[in-house]
């Protein structure tokens, strides 16, 4: 091979190498650009995901904040309500404290009053029409007994005294009948009793031949005439609910 031909081959080889080298030089930047673009897209995608997460978290925080604000308002209203309740309770406690401070003075006034009420009740019963007198006087003695009983509170003592007065008041509106004995001329006579409140208290022998009415002025039984036998019998039947109520003609003697 001649020198000229070898030079031509060398030149061709150099030209090919140059062209190959040139193509590599151009391809590498393109690849780098593509890689950079992909990396940019990946980074942008991650950034968007972070933005989306941050936005979601911010929305949750806003919702939580609003919930806290609403709850705070509710708590404020409730706290104001509780504060008013406490103020009212404190006022009640102060009132109770004042009342407690007067208890001793109240007891000093109430106890003598109860003794006077019991004495007055006894006097009234003894002056009253003598129905159930033994039972009524026993009630008075029980009241006197509890007055000296340290285990019974002052309020309970007062309640029982008032209850005794209430029972006595109730006798004025009742109509009742009972049986017993009546002493007349040294003899005990079995009789039926009938009482209308405190305005009429009569008795009639079992054989219905004799009748009496209590005279509270003279504190004794007055015998009635024959004209009263039937009215007394009617009153006894009415008191026993054996007959309908009707007008009965009787002499009346009430308690003074």
């Amino acid at each position: 091979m001649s020198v000229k031909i070898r030079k031509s081959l060398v030149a061709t080889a150099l030209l090919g190498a140059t062209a190959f080298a040139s193509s590599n030089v151009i391809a590498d930047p393109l690849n780098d650009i593509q890689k950079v673009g992909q990396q940019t897209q990946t980074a942008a995608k991650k950034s968007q995901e972070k933005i989306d997460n941050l936005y979601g978290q911010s929305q949750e925080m806003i919702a939580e904040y609003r919930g806290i604000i609403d709850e705070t308002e509710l708590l404020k209203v409730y706290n104001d309500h509780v504060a008013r309740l406490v103020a009212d309770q404190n006022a009640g406690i102060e009132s109770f404290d004042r009342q407690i401070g007067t208890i001793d003075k109240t007891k000093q006034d109430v106890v003598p009053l109860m003794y006077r009420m019991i004495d007055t009740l006894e006097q009234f019963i003894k002056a009253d029409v003598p129905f159930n007198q033994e039972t009524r006087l026993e009630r008075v003695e029980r009241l006197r007994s509890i007055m000296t009983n340290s285990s019974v509170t002052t309020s309970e003592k007062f309640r029982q005294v008032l209850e005794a007065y209430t029972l006595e008041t109730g006798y004025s509106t009742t109509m009742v009948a009972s049986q017993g004995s009546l002493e007349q001329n040294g003899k005990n006579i079995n009789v039926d009793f009938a009482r209308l409140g405190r305005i009429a208290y009569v008795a009639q022998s079992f054989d219905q031949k004799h009748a009496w009415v209590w005279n509270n002025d003279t504190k004794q039984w007055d015998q009635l005439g024959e004209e009263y036998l039937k009215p007394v019998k009617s009153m006894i039947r009415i008191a026993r609910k054996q007959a309908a109520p009707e007008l009965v003609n009787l002499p009346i003697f009430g308690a003074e």
Side-chain angles (χ1 to χ4, degrees), residues 75-172:
L75 288 174
K76 183 178 181 301
V77 173
Y78 179 74
N79 288 337
D80 292 341
H81 171 69
V82 172
R84 288 191 292 269
L85 289 178
V86 171
D88 182 70
Q89 289 175 348
N90 289 335
I93 291 172
E94 292 177 0
S95 175
F96 288 145
D97 288 341
R98 290 193 298 270
Q99 294 177 34
I100 290 171
T102 63
I103 286 178
D104 290 339
K105 180 63 170 62
T106 302
K107 286 183 178 180
Q108 292 175 6
D109 295 338
V110 169
V111 171
L113 173 63
M114 286 191 289
Y115 276 111
R116 291 196 299 271
M117 291 176 69
I118 293 171
D119 291 340
T120 301
L121 184 61
E122 181 182 32
Q123 294 170 9
F124 173 79
I125 293 173
K126 290 181 177 179
D128 194 21
V129 177
F131 61 91
N132 301 336
Q133 195 170 53
E134 183 177 352
T135 300
R136 294 158 70 194
L137 290 175
E138 286 177 355
R139 186 181 299 121
V140 171
E141 290 305 314
R142 286 197 299 272
L143 291 176
R144 285 201 172 95
S145 177
I146 69 167
M147 288 299 295
T148 58
N149 189 339
S150 61
S151 64
V152 181
T153 63
T154 301
S155 60
E156 175 60 18
K157 293 173 183 177
F158 191 67
R159 187 196 68 79
Q160 292 196 29
V161 171
L162 290 181
E163 183 180 43
Y165 269 80
T166 302
L167 290 173
E168 287 295 330
T169 302
Y171 291 141
S172 299

Side-chain angles (χ1 to χ4, degrees), residues 21-250:
S22 299
S23 64
N24 286 339
V25 169
I26 294 171
D28 287 342
L30 291 175
N31 291 334
D32 292 340
I33 290 171
Q34 289 178 353
K35 289 180 180 179
V36 170
Q38 291 175 354
Q39 290 175 355
T40 301
Q41 291 178 357
T42 301
K45 183 178 180 181
K46 290 181 178 179
S47 296
Q48 186 62 45
E49 290 176 353
K50 290 181 179 179
I51 291 171
D52 292 341
N53 290 335
L54 290 174
Y55 178 78
Q57 292 176 4
S58 65
Q59 292 299 312
E60 291 177 359
M61 292 176 66
I62 291 172
E64 183 178 357
Y65 171 76
R66 289 175 178 172
I68 292 173
I69 293 297
D70 293 341
E71 185 176 357
T72 301
E73 291 297 325
L74 292 175
L75 288 174
K76 183 178 181 301
V77 173
Y78 179 74
N79 288 337
D80 292 341
H81 171 69
V82 172
R84 288 191 292 269
L85 289 178
V86 171
D88 182 70
Q89 289 175 348
N90 289 335
I93 291 172
E94 292 177 0
S95 175
F96 288 145
D97 288 341
R98 290 193 298 270
Q99 294 177 34
I100 290 171
T102 63
I103 286 178
D104 290 339
K105 180 63 170 62
T106 302
K107 286 183 178 180
Q108 292 175 6
D109 295 338
V110 169
V111 171
L113 173 63
M114 286 191 289
Y115 276 111
R116 291 196 299 271
M117 291 176 69
I118 293 171
D119 291 340
T120 301
L121 184 61
E122 181 182 32
Q123 294 170 9
F124 173 79
I125 293 173
K126 290 181 177 179
D128 194 21
V129 177
F131 61 91
N132 301 336
Q133 195 170 53
E134 183 177 352
T135 300
R136 294 158 70 194
L137 290 175
E138 286 177 355
R139 186 181 299 121
V140 171
E141 290 305 314
R142 286 197 299 272
L143 291 176
R144 285 201 172 95
S145 177
I146 69 167
M147 288 299 295
T148 58
N149 189 339
S150 61
S151 64
V152 181
T153 63
T154 301
S155 60
E156 175 60 18
K157 293 173 183 177
F158 191 67
R159 187 196 68 79
Q160 292 196 29
V161 171
L162 290 181
E163 183 180 43
Y165 269 80
T166 302
L167 290 173
E168 287 295 330
T169 302
Y171 291 141
S172 299
T173 59
T174 56
M175 186 175 187
V176 296
S178 60
Q179 291 184 338
S181 62
L182 193 65
E183 184 178 349
Q184 290 290 307
N185 300 321
K187 296 181 180 180
N188 286 328
I189 303 173
N190 293 325
V191 297
D192 290 309
F193 292 104
R195 176 180 59 82
L196 176 60
R198 288 182 165 87
I199 61 175
Y201 190 33
V202 298
Q204 189 171 51
S205 60
F206 283 176
D207 60 11
Q208 300 179 359
K209 293 182 179 179
H210 303 280
W212 300 265
V213 63
W214 175 257
N215 185 333
N216 211 48
D217 294 331
T218 62
K219 303 298 180 186
Q220 64 182 14
W221 289 95
D222 291 347
Q223 187 164 358
L224 297 173
E226 292 184 358
E227 69 275 16
Y228 289 109
L229 294 179
K230 185 176 180 181
V232 169
K233 178 182 177 181
S234 297
M235 181 177 173
I236 294 172
R237 286 174 54 81
I238 294 170
R240 288 176 174 167
K241 303 186 185 310
Q242 295 174 344
E246 61 177 322
L247 293 176
V248 178
N249 184 24
L250 290 173

